[in-house]
Amino acid sequence: MTKEQQGLENLSIWNDAASMLAKAKKDGVETVWDRLHEQRNECAFCAQGLSCSKCVMGPCRINMKGDKRQHGVCGADADLTVARNFGRFVAAGAASHSDHGRDVLDTFAAVAEGKTKDFQIRDEAKLRRIASELGLASEGQPIDAVARALADKFYQDYSSRSERLSFLSRVPEKRRTRWAELGVTPRGIDREVVEMMHRTHMGVDCDATNICLHAVRTALADGWGGSMIATELSDILFGTPRPTASKVNLGVLRKDMVNVLVHGHSPVVSETILAAAKDQDILAEAAKAGAIGINIAGLCCTGNEVLMRQGIPLAGNHLMTELALITGAVELMVVDYQCIMPSLVRIAACYHTRFVSTQDKAKFPGATHVPFTHENARDKAREVLRMAIEAYTKRKPERVEIPGQPVDIMTGFSNEAVLEALGGTPQPLIDAIKAGSVRGVVGIVGCNNPKLTHDYCHTNLAKELIKRDILVVVTGCATVAMGKAGLLTPAGAEQAGQGLASVCKALGIPPVLHVGSCVDNARILHLCAILANALGVDMSDLPVAASAPEWYSEKAAAIGLYAVACGIYTHLGLPPHITGSKTVTDLALNGLEDVIGASFAVEPDPFKAAELIDKRISTKRTALGLTP
Ligand code: MSK
């Protein structure tokens, strides 16, 4: 390894990443780290949330040093400028999850109304269970009637007609009362997002704290609305996850197969690609092209969706998406939306790789656009696979380098699967928490960020927590890190403390449970509500926490905020762009504690973060009368 390569190794903790970074240099391909380097003189105003370009009297920068230019042209001070920026940041994240949820809902409604043959209801029992839970007639009713009624109910949740989201019935009463007192009970999902855009227009809401409270409401509309609808309907349409074995890292790509990467967030396109890849005529075409089959692998959250439900291997997380193409082994990348770096189109063009977009709301210049609808999904999936097979014939073997061997993982821990493993009730988990063999539960969620060494914080934080008998549940891009570190198999329990290891051994589960994609953080909310309701306490009383150690996205900000609003202490590896306002920063780090029962903590060092989280869990355990 050359000196230069050793330097590249510091960008990521993984050998597969280091090999591909070296190949990128050799192939003359620019990556996200190169671009970050070019952008290194970042604007201090933007970093602190103190710049505003929301109107054309500006743009403005609020200078916090000295006594000149303390206000924007409209008169907004630092607090208001930061709050407006942050409010829109959270609204964009909530909108992204929720619009994804709406697309799943549209697919579900199309099935209910008999408008598509390409999708079916795979979990009828879950459909009927949720319909009953939400007060709809189910027993003895035809399945399409139940589905239509549920679709109507969820469409109402998106609208202004909703006074309170349907899934708020899952929230412990004490928490609902607190939200009502604060005026943050989420109403219609779209309404909260639109209201945030309105409030942050010049001359509307000029009170930073009031804007932040609406950010809370908007985030809650995501967690208990858009995201929860996405998760529950995806289970109904594509199957509720059950524990399944799979594999992770770039080694899941195959030299002898047509490699297709599915990337983005929604399972709707990727599920049809998977189904079409089993068509005998398509497989025969692949064989004719000289491949032994079609290998579908996932990236980011689309990868998490098909991993959870179908056991499809996961090639990588956010910072691995470019590196996956640099293997030269990918015939085609098919994307839906969110977290798809525009650079991927350029990188694909450096190889024989086809880049296919599928959503009219997410087009990529230079890509081949194949618009998927409910009516044509299967045909379009076959068309895309044929493109991949054709690309396979153009693959240049001398440019192919697939690094390393894949690592085994276990996935599929939906709440249904967890409760089933516990004998149908949360009581064994509650007993383990009371006994201290599981001292608490922490959700590690979210992205990668090139400002931090790739996956260093994820893996070290998880290892520190499980050592302290704290069970970890993981979603999103953090999943890949946990899998590569060997924490997603039962054998990973060897790295856990004695108590947690004994529980894992008894149940045959890993010390880190994979519970899904970004929208599936709704599963964690639901599990916390189930535990709190079983104990008769508020969610803020539970020995639980959340962490997004390497986050980058607006969606992660919405997730963090709804977690805090649910009373869940939330660690972030990096601060959002709010540090220019003392009021907003104090509110996030301290002020919310009194009003909502939780707060954020910012700590880039995973070992120190583990200390903070451990201390919090000890405090909550003591308050419940348990040993710390
Ligand atoms: S994909 S939001 S980089 S987790 Fe959900 Fe990964 Fe974060 Fe996108």
Side-chain angles (χ1 to χ4, degrees):
M1 188 82 42
T2 65
K3 261 209 158 116
E4 194 190 16
Q5 284 170 333
Q6 280 167 9
L8 293 177
E9 264 188 329
N10 293 334
L11 303 180
S12 171
I13 62 169
W14 306 117
N15 289 336
D16 62 349
S19 309
M20 288 306 100
L21 281 161
K23 187 167 185 285
K25 288 269 175 254
K26 195 174 73 192
D27 292 357
V29 176
E30 177 195 86
T31 68
V32 61
W33 286 278
D34 297 316
R35 296 189 296 276
L36 175 67
H37 186 69
E38 278 171 18
Q39 297 282 341
R40 65 192 174 283
N41 296 321
E42 69 180 15
C43 168
F45 290 96
C46 293
Q48 296 176 85
L50 288 171
S51 56
C52 178
S53 58
K54 283 188 276 308
C55 86
V56 292
M57 292 195 289
C60 298
R61 298 183 299 178
I62 313 297
N63 194 336
M64 294 299 290
K65 287 192 190 117
D67 55 3
K68 54 177 181 167
R69 205 148 41 119
Q70 294 283 320
H71 298 92
V73 177
C74 73
D77 62 7
D79 291 339
L80 178 54
T81 302
V82 166
R84 281 173 175 167
N85 288 335
F86 183 63
R88 288 194 172 194
F89 196 75
V90 170
S96 303
H97 287 145
S98 301
D99 204 40
H100 158 179
R102 188 199 327 268
D103 286 340
V104 181
L105 173 55
D106 284 346
T107 307
F108 174 71
V111 173
E113 289 158 14
K115 290 183 182 159
T116 173
K117 293 197 168 34
D118 292 350
F119 300 92
Q120 299 83 35
I121 285 166
R122 291 207 197 135
D123 192 341
E124 182 178 337
K126 180 156 186 172
L127 164 63
R128 291 188 183 279
R129 198 171 63 245
I130 289 186
S132 303
E133 181 190 344
L134 300 183
L136 301 171
S138 167
E139 218 181 304
Q141 299 293 317
I143 181 171
D144 52 345
V146 180
R148 277 199 304 274
L150 189 60
D152 278 350
K153 192 157 192 63
F154 287 149
Y155 277 125
Q156 269 186 34
D157 278 344
Y158 277 89
S159 79
S160 303
R161 293 215 176 267
S162 163
E163 283 300 317
R164 209 191 76 156
L165 298 178
S166 302
F167 280 128
L168 291 200
S169 56
R170 292 176 169 180
V171 179
E173 203 181 325
K174 282 185 188 168
R175 180 81 351 208
R176 275 185 277 157
T177 306
R178 203 178 283 218
W179 290 344
E181 285 163 1
L182 281 169
V184 299
T185 304
R187 302 160 294 178
I189 299 159
D190 290 349
R191 176 181 189 162
E192 305 307 4
V193 173
V194 169
E195 187 171 316
M196 178 56 85
M197 298 308 285
H198 178 197
R199 282 178 183 236
T200 50
H201 187 280
M202 203 292 280
V204 185
D205 198 347
C206 296
D207 182 316
T209 305
N210 208 35
I211 292 175
C212 289
L213 281 176
H214 190 68
V216 166
R217 195 174 207 176
T218 307
L220 285 170
D222 171 0
W224 296 93
S227 283
M228 201 165 274
I229 289 171
T231 292
E232 300 296 40
L233 288 184
S234 295
D235 283 358
I236 290 171
L237 283 173
F238 305 116
T240 302
R242 295 274 176 268
T244 315
S246 190
K247 293 191 184 292
V248 68
N249 79 19
L250 289 183
V252 304
L253 296 173
R254 296 281 302 263
K255 275 196 174 151
D256 49 2
M257 296 175 90
V258 175
N259 289 309
V260 175
L261 289 177
V262 290
H263 180 16
H265 277 77
S266 165
V268 173
V269 168
S270 47
E271 284 279 352
T272 52
I273 299 271
L274 287 184
K278 292 184 189 139
D279 288 352
Q280 288 307 314
D281 59 333
I282 295 283
L283 288 170
E285 286 175 38
K288 208 169 149 202
I292 67 159
I294 297 174
N295 179 38
I296 315 270
L299 291 167
C300 288
C301 277
T302 290
N304 276 289
E305 295 277 345
V306 290
L307 170 68
M308 274 288 275
R309 297 194 182 85
Q310 319 299 347
I312 294 300
L314 202 46
N317 51 11
H318 181 51
L319 287 184
M320 296 301 294
T321 57
E322 296 182 326
L323 305 185
L325 297 188
I326 291 165
T327 60
V330 178
E331 274 58 58
L332 187 141
M333 179 181 279
V334 55
V335 304
D336 45 82
Y337 38 58
Q338 297 171 22
C339 301
I340 299 150
M341 288 193 244
S343 59
L344 290 168
V345 183
R346 290 193 297 276
I347 296 181
C350 295
Y351 301 91
H352 69 299
T353 309
R354 299 290 300 269
F355 187 97
V356 175
S357 55
T358 60
Q359 307 294 305
D360 286 350
K361 67 178 96 175
K363 290 193 176 177
F364 294 77
T368 305
H369 189 60
V370 180
F372 274 56
T373 66
H374 307 129
E375 291 81 26
N376 69 13
R378 186 60 173 255
D379 289 343
K380 292 294 170 189
R382 287 166 58 81
E383 191 181 319
V384 167
L385 290 174
R386 287 199 167 107
M387 282 182 207
I389 293 166
E390 199 207 332
Y392 182 77
T393 63
K394 295 181 183 149
R395 190 196 278 182
K396 293 193 171 62
E398 69 280 8
R399 296 195 76 197
V400 172
E401 189 182 325
I402 300 175
Q405 290 299 312
V407 178
D408 288 332
I409 56 174
M410 195 174 186
T411 174
F413 291 96
S414 59
N415 289 342
E416 287 85 344
V418 169
L419 290 175
E420 210 172 279
L422 295 172
T425 138
Q427 199 53 46
L429 178 57
I430 291 170
D431 292 344
I433 291 172
K434 283 184 177 167
S437 38
V438 175
R439 291 180 50 240
V441 182
V442 173
I444 300 186
V445 310
C447 328
N448 300 128
N449 188 320
K451 289 179 170 175
L452 301 167
T453 301
H454 174 222
D455 287 344
Y456 172 82
C457 298
H458 284 144
T459 48
N460 285 302
L461 178 60
K463 285 178 185 174
E464 282 302 303
L465 292 175
I466 64 170
K467 253 192 236 169
R468 300 159 195 242
D469 292 327
I470 296 168
L471 177 70
V472 172
V473 292
V474 68
T475 62
C477 285
T479 306
V480 177
M482 306 305 169
K484 284 162 115 172
L487 302 175
L488 294 186
T489 61
E494 282 162 24
Q495 300 184 55
Q498 233 179 5
L500 178 59
S502 66
V503 172
C504 292
K505 208 168 161 196
L507 295 170
I509 58 168
V512 177
L513 301 180
H514 178 222
V515 305
S517 64
C518 290
V519 292
D520 291 338
N521 287 313
R523 295 190 203 275
I524 304 178
L525 288 186
H526 189 196
L527 185 61
C528 287
I530 290 171
L531 292 175
N533 283 329
L535 283 164
V537 298
D538 193 355
M539 290 162 79
S540 56
D541 299 322
L542 296 172
V544 300
S547 172
E550 300 180 27
W551 76 284
Y552 90 88
S553 141
E554 290 156 324
K555 294 175 288 170
I559 293 167
L561 194 54
Y562 71 59
V564 167
C566 290
I568 301 170
Y569 177 77
T570 297
H571 159 252
L572 303 174
L574 292 162
H577 300 315
I578 60 169
T579 52
S581 163
K582 191 169 176 327
T583 302
V584 177
T585 305
D586 282 354
L587 198 60
L589 298 180
N590 307 304
L592 288 170
E593 192 70 49
D594 292 337
V595 287
I596 226 149
S599 57
F600 286 101
V602 178
E603 175 53 65
D605 180 325
F607 300 95
K608 289 182 187 161
E611 284 293 334
L612 290 172
I613 291 170
D614 189 343
K615 202 168 145 207
R616 177 72 172 200
I617 282 177
S618 294
T619 308
K620 292 292 169 187
R621 289 184 60 83
T622 306
L624 286 169
L626 307 173
T627 56

